[in-house]
Amino acid sequence: MGEWPEGNRDRCPRTCALLEKIPGLFQAFFSILDGGKSVPAHNGPYRGYLRYHLGLVVPEHNPPTIRIKDQYHTWQEGKSILFDDSWNHEVTNKSDADRVVLIVDIRRPMPLVFDGANRVAQAVMRKVYG
């Protein structure tokens, strides 16, 4: 959250250069889900950001899916989805291959007063969670 570790920057310089251009960037990371694994249904803890997923490596046979509320999305390489992480969601990878997604959290657009409170909350979260 808010950190730019040099080792990671060295491994992915073009990705980091692109991420630096995103207004309101909260955090970004690669998510690797092994074949045959899932992420149980959950709600993100905080409504102050929106979550973006970009499919980077997606198995062609039996591609992984994400359920957000009552909507299902099947990942495709190079395709993306933006959603409210506080909504109930779960991920299933029934393939035998790994799924790799770039996850980018951006500050949720809000009216000025709420945006100020959101920025304070994010600053506190960075201190607490690193």
Side-chain angles (χ1 to χ4, degrees):
M1 288 187 192
E3 299 293 323
W4 293 88
E6 285 305 315
N8 295 350
R9 293 180 66 81
D10 292 343
R11 289 181 188 97
C12 305
R14 293 191 338 207
T15 301
C16 289
L18 291 171
L19 290 170
E20 287 175 342
K21 295 178 181 182
I22 298 174
L25 176 68
F26 183 58
Q27 69 176 347
F29 55 94
F30 295 104
S31 170
I32 301 170
L33 184 62
D34 294 338
K37 301 291 183 177
S38 62
V39 177
H42 64 284
N43 298 63
Y46 174 61
R47 295 190 64 196
Y49 62 85
L50 298 174
R51 179 154 280 183
Y52 172 83
H53 283 198
L54 173 62
L56 299 176
V57 178
V58 180
E60 288 185 29
H61 175 69
N62 209 3
T65 60
I66 182 170
R67 178 194 55 79
I68 304 164
K69 288 188 164 184
D70 62 349
Q71 301 290 312
Y72 287 84
H73 174 78
T74 301
W75 276 287
Q76 298 176 41
E77 289 184 11
K79 302 294 183 179
S80 60
I81 183 170
L82 179 70
F83 65 97
D84 184 334
D85 186 58
S86 70
W87 293 348
N88 188 267
H89 57 285
E90 64 184 323
V91 179
T92 304
N93 185 0
K94 294 181 180 177
S95 172
D96 58 358
D98 297 348
R99 178 231 58 182
V100 181
V101 172
L102 174 64
I103 296 179
V104 180
D105 293 338
I106 57 169
R107 190 171 45 254
R108 178 189 292 274
M110 297 180 180
L112 186 59
V113 173
F114 299 110
D115 183 63
N118 192 22
R119 288 172 189 258
V120 169
Q122 288 181 355
V124 168
M125 287 173 41
R126 283 190 177 107
K127 295 277 188 204
V128 172
Y129 299 108

